[in-house]
Amino acid sequence: QVQLVESGGGSVQAGGSLRLSCAASGIILSMNVMGWYRQAPGKQRELVAGITNRGSTWYADSVKGRFTISRDNAKNTVYLQMNSLKPEDTAVYYCAGGRLIRPNIDLGTRWDYWGQGTQVTVSS
């Protein structure tokens, strides 16, 4: 089994920055993709960013140029650096891990593991 533990959420004013971290433990060889989803109140959970163990990345259009996903394979940790935050970025952010079964991260990942979520609140 794999355990994912997020940290780094919080409250910030619009234009500010936050960095989320997700530490993975357990049988991590079972996954080769890690990513971040978010879910705002009344909305569906959406993929924000993903990264393969080889460093290929994917971003949702709404966060391109503002968010950066990275990973430290030695620490089994993935990060989400969020800059120029907007009120519409307010959501619970979930770390996810899985396996790439088709070439595209957004449509081709089987997400098997989830963290507990961390709240990000951006005020205007």
Side-chain angles (χ1 to χ4, degrees):
Q1 292 296 322
V2 173
Q3 294 80 43
L4 303 176
V5 179
E6 303 110 332
S7 60
S11 298
V12 66
Q13 288 192 327
S17 299
L18 285 173
R19 189 175 84 151
L20 306 182
S21 300
C22 174
S25 61
I27 309 175
I28 59 175
L29 292 178
S30 62
M31 62 182 189
N32 60 8
V33 183
M34 295 187 74
W36 291 93
Y37 274 77
R38 68 184 180 187
Q39 187 167 21
K43 294 188 177 181
Q44 288 189 329
R45 190 175 296 191
E46 62 174 351
L47 180 63
V48 174
I51 186 168
T52 70
N53 58 358
R54 295 188 176 185
S56 297
T57 58
W58 179 91
Y59 296 95
D61 288 343
S62 59
V63 307
K64 281 181 182 176
R66 301 188 298 122
F67 291 11
T68 302
I69 190 170
S70 60
R71 63 189 294 165
D72 184 333
N73 289 332
K75 296 182 178 180
N76 298 321
T77 299
V78 65
Y79 305 96
L80 186 67
Q81 178 66 44
M82 304 184 294
N83 298 328
S84 301
L85 282 161
K86 304 175 181 180
E88 51 263 44
D89 294 318
T90 295
V92 177
Y93 284 70
Y94 296 90
C95 178
R99 291 200 64 82
L100 196 67
I101 56 177
R102 288 188 294 275
N104 300 320
I105 292 173
D106 55 329
L107 301 176
T109 301
R110 187 188 71 212
W111 299 101
D112 295 323
Y113 306 104
W114 297 89
Q116 79 283 1
T118 185
Q119 178 70 45
V120 171
T121 302
V122 184
S123 58
S124 58

